Amino acid sequence: MTEITDPENTLVMETTKGRVVIAMRPDLAPGHVDHIKKLAREGFYDGIVFHRVIEGFMAQTGCPHGTGTGGSSYPNLKAEFNAEPHVRGTASMARAQNPNSANSQFFICFDDARFLDRQYTVWGKVIEGMENVDKIKRGEPVRDPDKIISMKVAADIAA
């Protein structure tokens, strides 16, 4: 297991394929990191499916409807585009055409997706469990999708 050096900025996601640990980057996207932590602490992501999973590209989750059409009850986020590259393990926000339309949906890259650089907000990177992300069932939409069983901020998990 990976040693968690910054528990306040680390997410522990238990999925139907196993544990995935994401180091969040408040230095890159402070507003997005705060928003995701708030949603995780409220249990928003618990039980949400990976609704759009494209081989060689990414696994997307965070829609409460499981269709890619919804978000949280909070306002959308202002874009925090940054120079961090979209590479294997990158966690980045999904959005609609409007750059300031990210809310609760995010994706994890399976492989390099550098064409997304500076157009989507990178807020973290998988530091453990990428092999479990690789096992997530593919589809657009996914039939009988894998899901997030629970997603917690590491600082909130009892030792």
Side-chain angles (χ1 to χ4, degrees):
M1 271 177 41
T2 305
E3 183 184 343
I4 295 172
T5 56
D6 184 2
E8 183 56 35
N9 288 303
T10 305
L11 288 175
V12 178
M13 188 165 63
E14 297 295 341
T15 75
T16 44
K17 293 301 188 209
R19 177 176 151 128
V20 178
V21 180
I22 300 172
M24 294 184 283
R25 297 284 308 272
D27 58 314
L28 296 177
H32 286 68
V33 168
D34 285 349
H35 185 71
I36 290 162
K37 288 196 293 193
K38 176 170 63 175
L39 292 175
R41 286 184 160 128
E42 292 175 358
F44 176 86
Y45 290 105
D46 300 356
I48 287 188
V49 302
F50 287 90
H51 66 272
R52 182 172 180 244
V53 185
I54 303 170
E55 181 65 39
F57 182 30
M58 57 91 216
Q60 185 169 326
T61 186
C63 174
H65 312 306
T67 58
T69 59
S72 74
S73 59
Y74 296 107
N76 288 343
L77 299 166
K78 183 166 178 12
E80 293 178 299
F81 300 157
N82 52 63
E84 195 67 15
H86 285 77
V87 295
R88 179 169 168 77
T90 296
S92 187
M93 290 307 275
R95 62 171 177 82
Q97 285 297 118
N98 181 337
N100 300 314
S101 61
N103 188 294
S104 61
Q105 294 187 45
F106 67 91
F107 59 91
I108 299 170
C109 296
F110 290 126
D111 291 305
D112 287 6
R114 301 296 304 273
F115 59 93
L116 300 176
D117 290 1
R118 297 182 185 270
Q119 297 179 65
Y120 291 81
T121 299
V122 173
W123 56 267
K125 185 156 177 115
V126 174
I127 57 169
E128 181 190 315
M130 193 59 203
E131 69 280 4
N132 295 325
V133 175
D134 287 336
K135 296 176 196 167
I136 294 169
K137 194 172 176 188
R138 310 303 200 253
E140 223 188 333
V142 184
R143 289 154 82 74
D144 189 28
D146 285 303
K147 66 182 173 186
I148 298 170
I149 297 165
S150 72
M151 190 161 98
K152 296 186 174 9
V153 176
D156 300 337
I157 299 171

